[in-house]
Amino acid sequence: MKLGLTLTLVACLCLSFGAKAGNDKHQDRHQSREQGAKTEQRRLAVNGPDQAVAIAQRQYRGKVLSVQSSGAGYRVKILNNDGQVFSVSVDAASGRVSRK
């Protein structure tokens, strides 16, 4: 009787440790995906529209009229001191600015 109870207890412990190990692996994969997303964000030279505006204004002086997300970056519309309106593209990956 004691042997049967002991075997049952050992089996239950093995099963619970096995389930715990499986949960740890799932949690590790989830954390790995989150870290990958954070790393990708850090790799970008431009992490948001405010940063895109700041980069565009370093190269082109004037009043920013609008900023929009555009494909792989941002499009910033600027009114210069001469009254001309133009757009520049800011590449999110490199931070490169090009006038349109």
Side-chain angles (χ1 to χ4, degrees):
M1 180 81 167
K2 285 185 180 180
L3 181 61
L5 184 60
T6 303
L7 289 175
T8 303
L9 180 60
V10 169
C12 288
L13 287 172
C14 287
L15 288 173
S16 68
F17 282 121
K20 172 79 171 114
N23 286 340
D24 288 346
K25 287 180 185 177
H26 175 73
Q27 187 174 6
D28 289 345
R29 274 183 267 154
H30 181 69
Q31 287 174 345
S32 178
R33 269 190 242 126
E34 285 179 350
Q35 287 172 345
K38 288 178 184 177
T39 301
E40 182 62 29
Q41 274 186 332
R42 276 185 248 130
R43 281 188 210 147
L44 293 177
V46 182
N47 290 318
D50 292 337
Q51 194 173 11
V53 166
I55 291 170
Q57 284 186 313
R58 275 188 227 132
Q59 193 163 344
Y60 298 100
R61 301 287 180 208
K63 179 180 178 181
V64 173
L65 301 176
S66 67
V67 60
Q68 299 175 352
S69 178
S70 171
Y74 297 90
R75 178 162 295 185
V76 182
K77 191 181 285 186
I78 298 173
L79 171 66
N80 71 12
N81 294 336
D82 296 332
Q84 294 177 321
V85 176
F86 61 94
S87 293
V88 297
S89 292
V90 182
D91 185 86
S94 66
R96 189 173 63 96
V97 179
S98 58
R99 187 169 175 168
K100 297 286 178 180

